[in-house]
Amino acid sequence: MIELDGLTKRFGAKTAVDNLSFQVKPGLVTGFLGPNGAGKSTTMRMMLDLDNPTSGAVRIYGKRYRELREPLKHVGALLDAKAMHGGRSAYNNLLCLAQSNGIPQRRVAEVLDLVGLAPVARKKSKGFSLGMGQRLGIASALLGDPQILMFDEPVNGLDPEGILWIRNLMKGLAAEGRTIFVSSHLMSEMALTADHLIVIGQGRLLADTSMADFIHQNSRSFVRMRSPQLEQLKDVLHEAGIAPVGVPDGGALEIDGVGAEQLGELAARHRIVLHELSPQRASLEEAFMRMTADSVEYHAHAPGAPGAAIDNPARPADVPAWGAGFDAADSTRKGGR
Amino acid sequence: MTPTTTTPDRPRSYSSPLPSPRPHLGHALASEWTKLISIRSTLWTLGALVLTVVGVGMLFVSQTSDRDYESISFTTPALFGLMVGQVAVMVLGVLTISSEHATGLVRTTFTAAPDRFRVLTAKYLVFSVTAFTVTALSVFVVGIAASLAHGGAAAGAHTADEWLGAAAGCLYVTLLGVLALAIGALVRHSAGAIAVMLGVVTLPPVLGAMLIVWEAVAPIGREILQRNVPVALSQLFGMQEGGDLGAAPSNFSNVLILVLITGATVAASYVMVGRRDV
Ligand SMILES: Nc1ncnc2c1ncn2[C@@H]1O[C@H](COP(=O)(O)OP(=O)(O)OP(=O)(O)O)[C@@H](O)[C@H]1O
Ligand SMILES: [Mg+2]
């Protein structure tokens, strides 16, 4: 259990995290979502007492992170997979961490095995690919077999197999009763992984809801039908009192509120040939973009016309174009750390 | 699609079967020791130190006769290499901490050990014991070789004091390394911290020589010329500088000055590391 209470962080004039209060509960994967620069990483650093909050506090099982007696046993974190010494072998990188917490040496080999890095345990981590580096970071988070795991964008740069692996890993860890807190800017990824959702934009809390509720509220589900006997199909539907909600492009119908089974049976009864009968869900990504639209930090400029809408039919009408409001103050961010 | 938050059979806490001793300074020392010995730069810097001290020292021993040791110590041959080798000690001191900042490893380190003072203390201890041991071993190898090769009657009387002086000299170099570590902790950039340390060692003789020409500040210039790092180190290794500057300050006062400067910088490093965002 992690509790944030009015957590605020200012960097000079810039408020990176603005009065955040929420709880992260055990036994669940909690997704922490926000666009670039929303303050996710800063929040996580404050949770680990790496950055000092300007005001507010974080409590982990009622304590400040610094007060935890066996930190790695309570919390494992992957903030940045590159945060290892490249000149050290994977094994030695983990060994230093294990020793600092009195974790037995055999555990190092165990976690390397768990993440599939056992064959390259003695290789310098400098030569690791993006995915291998990410796995090493995850191994370091798992080292203390902690109750709480925090991952900052763990799927960044991973291939589909790696993404699937992490997704299953996180679900498995949560199923064991652990608290999993994972940041991302991909709603679609979170929809598959997270049980609970916390959305922030420009450092402020925008949503704190269960994933199921979020999906329920934000996704329209419908069935798409396609048929060579379109007119006939329309008549049949009309007779059955079913009104298609949309006719997106040539030859397809979108129907809301009636299951695919019923529609299929209905068509079969009238001997109508179907080329498509598929349940669909409107993208959660759209819902996320709509939610954070006002607080998107870094907008891209359309070439030639700053702020002009990019011609993008997939974009919901009420989301401003990327390029609507680049915040010049952000360029003052300190480089190189 | 996804499981709802009300999965009933899901446990709400997790307890690890791993043993969990309460971490203390001993754990931090073990961790820092592993860090030190598992990177190449340790080998390079300490190897350079041993090679210059022993190499130059042995060369000097082989080119001198018993009579030359009438006016110098048996440990003096180690001085020449150490003048160069001290730079390696300072570089290692800086890298001990700045490499963690360069890679971002420092966040991982402080997540695993949020007691930053404990981590910093472990770094100071592991570094200083290692630096002192390696420096002293190299110096004493040269000193013993000199005393064996040139211990004849022509070398005159030699006392245990010169060995103590050399030990103090090794301590002096170690203190420079500790100062470098402290500056590395404050500056957090390898190149910047190394530049500062090179300045500390090489600037005062130049500055002193400049000031001594200028009447109004000549006494300050004289003071600087008598108390800078190369002079203090030479004195500890049995080489008295020319007497035109007046009586040389004692070895004790030279070491004391460095102890005070290093102590203050180390204290500052604790304050800064303790409260800074990383
Ligand atoms: N050390 C710092 N100094 C100054 N500003 C900072 C610092 N760290 C973060 N910021 C600012 O705080 C804001 C939040 O940054 P943060 O890295 O927490 O965002 P994020 O949500 O993790 O973004 P991303 O998805 O791109 O990783 C940004 O506007 C950033 O410029
Ligand atoms: Mg981030």
Side-chain angles (χ1 to χ4, degrees):
Chain A
M1 169 78 93
I2 312 173
E3 287 163 280
L4 276 71
D5 181 16
L7 198 65
T8 302
K9 178 72 177 178
R10 279 190 207 92
F11 294 107
K14 161 103 208 161
T15 305
V17 175
D18 194 356
N19 199 18
L20 268 192
S21 301
F22 60 83
Q23 294 186 350
V24 187
K25 298 193 184 71
L28 303 175
V29 176
T30 300
F32 189 35
L33 233 72
N36 287 130
K40 303 181 294 294
S41 301
T42 307
T43 305
M44 288 179 143
R45 285 202 304 276
M46 286 192 285
M47 287 172 154
L48 297 171
D49 257 344
L50 293 171
D51 280 13
N52 302 304
T54 307
S55 64
V58 181
R59 302 257 176 254
I60 295 170
Y61 287 99
K63 288 182 180 163
R64 284 192 57 184
Y65 187 82
R66 268 179 212 216
E67 294 160 3
L68 296 177
R69 281 187 187 166
E70 302 113 4
L72 285 191
K73 211 188 154 182
H74 292 290
V75 183
L78 164 68
L79 289 190
D80 176 4
K82 292 187 294 295
M84 293 279 169
H85 195 295
R88 244 174 235 133
S89 66
Y91 186 90
N92 280 332
N93 264 314
L94 295 185
L95 182 61
C96 310
L97 289 178
Q99 285 174 325
S100 72
N101 274 244
I103 294 167
Q105 209 157 330
R106 63 175 161 79
R107 178 70 187 160
V108 174
E110 246 171 62
V111 291
L112 281 171
D113 205 33
L114 188 71
V115 302
L117 288 180
V120 290
R122 299 284 170 182
K123 293 250 158 55
K124 284 186 182 175
S125 60
K126 173 160 61 186
F128 282 9
S129 71
L130 202 56
M132 288 160 85
Q134 209 78 348
R135 282 167 190 256
L136 181 58
I138 289 173
S140 77
L142 292 175
L143 201 55
D145 201 12
Q147 313 167 36
I148 298 176
L149 281 147
M150 291 174 39
F151 300 108
D152 195 2
E153 294 180 24
V155 300
N156 253 11
L158 288 190
D159 58 16
E161 194 203 329
I163 293 176
L164 187 65
W165 176 76
I166 291 196
R167 198 185 290 157
N168 291 332
L169 178 78
M170 289 193 296
K171 286 182 175 179
L173 292 168
E176 289 172 333
R178 302 187 218 230
T179 309
I180 315 291
F181 188 58
V182 54
S183 83
S184 176
H185 23 62
L186 293 180
M187 184 70 221
S188 49
E189 176 56 30
M190 283 298 100
L192 294 173
T193 321
D195 307 300
H196 195 86
L197 196 62
I198 285 162
V199 183
I200 64 168
Q202 289 199 334
R204 279 187 292 272
L205 189 67
L206 297 178
D208 180 352
T209 163
S210 81
M211 193 70 225
D213 285 352
F214 183 84
I215 291 172
H216 182 72
Q217 282 164 15
N218 290 290
S219 74
R220 188 172 66 89
S221 54
F222 57 91
V223 178
R224 180 181 298 148
M225 299 180 85
R226 212 180 279 271
S227 167
Q229 298 155 271
L230 188 62
E231 290 312 315
Q232 226 174 312
L233 179 61
K234 276 183 183 165
D235 291 345
V236 166
L237 289 173
H238 186 75
E239 272 166 38
I242 300 167
V245 286
V247 187
D249 52 21
L253 297 175
E254 287 181 2
I255 290 118
D256 206 347
V258 185
E261 299 85 353
Q262 281 151 273
L263 292 170
E265 281 161 18
L266 186 67
R269 259 202 307 282
H270 292 85
R271 312 186 68 79
I272 295 174
V273 175
L274 291 184
H275 285 175
E276 182 180 355
L277 176 68
S278 57
Q280 302 277 333
R281 227 175 239 290
S283 143
L284 289 172
E285 215 69 59
E286 284 177 16
F288 170 56
M289 280 170 72
R290 216 172 294 129
M291 180 179 273
T292 56
D294 299 334
S295 62
V296 169
E297 192 93 333
Y298 302 98
H299 298 280
H301 290 274
I310 306 163
D311 184 28
N312 179 2
R315 186 169 48 76
D318 50 348
V319 174
W322 286 55
F326 182 79
D327 184 353
D330 292 331
S331 56
T332 57
R333 175 176 185 165
K334 277 182 251 164
R337 28 166 125 103
Chain B
M1 190 169 189
T2 38
T4 58
T5 51
T6 49
T7 316
D9 55 344
R10 191 174 272 197
R12 285 306 170 115
S13 71
Y14 176 80
S15 180
S16 167
L18 280 183
S20 55
R22 187 168 173 185
H24 50 69
L25 183 62
H27 292 116
L29 289 171
S31 170
E32 290 304 326
W33 176 248
T34 304
K35 279 184 194 170
L36 190 73
I37 60 172
S38 61
I39 46 171
R40 211 43 88 68
S41 56
T42 308
L43 191 70
W44 285 121
T45 50
L46 293 181
L49 171 70
V50 173
L51 278 183
T52 49
V53 173
V54 176
V56 176
M58 290 306 186
L59 188 69
F60 185 87
V61 169
S62 69
Q63 299 302 312
T64 45
S65 64
D66 291 10
R67 182 180 289 275
D68 295 323
Y69 290 85
E70 254 191 300
S71 56
I72 60 172
S73 306
F74 286 134
T75 54
T76 307
L79 171 67
F80 311 110
L82 197 56
M83 285 287 194
V84 179
Q86 63 177 343
V87 175
V89 175
M90 294 186 286
V91 169
L92 183 62
V94 167
L95 288 181
T96 299
I97 187 127
S98 66
S99 71
E100 293 214 15
H101 285 286
T103 55
L105 177 63
V106 65
R107 290 194 179 137
T108 314
T109 300
F110 286 155
T111 304
D115 186 344
R116 299 184 186 180
F117 291 170
R118 188 203 294 154
V119 175
L120 199 55
T121 305
K123 280 194 187 295
Y124 279 125
L125 287 176
V126 167
F127 167 77
S128 52
V129 169
T130 308
F132 182 80
T133 308
V134 175
T135 311
L137 280 178
S138 323
V139 164
F140 281 77
V141 162
V142 174
I144 287 167
S147 69
L148 290 178
H150 302 294
H158 286 267
T159 64
D161 275 358
E162 61 190 52
W163 296 98
L164 282 179
C170 296
L171 184 70
Y172 195 87
V173 171
T174 305
L175 278 172
L176 285 172
V178 171
L179 179 61
L181 204 168
I183 289 178
L186 290 170
V187 178
R188 298 193 278 187
H189 272 277
S190 309
I194 291 171
V196 170
M197 282 313 294
L198 289 180
V200 166
V201 174
T202 59
L203 274 186
V206 180
L207 191 68
M210 273 165 57
L211 292 183
I212 204 162
V213 182
W214 182 11
E215 199 72 50
V217 290
I220 301 176
R222 201 166 330 190
E223 196 67 19
I224 293 176
L225 278 185
Q226 284 187 318
R227 288 190 182 278
N228 58 61
V229 171
V231 171
L233 211 49
S234 305
Q235 213 175 294
L236 286 166
F237 280 87
M239 288 257 289
Q240 297 295 338
E241 293 285 307
D244 58 332
L245 291 170
S250 71
N251 280 338
F252 177 75
S253 73
N254 276 331
V255 176
L256 185 67
I257 288 174
L258 186 59
V259 167
L260 291 178
I261 292 173
T262 306
T265 317
V266 167
S269 76
Y270 274 94
V271 173
M272 287 304 283
V273 169
R275 66 164 176 227
R276 205 160 44 185
D277 288 353
V278 292

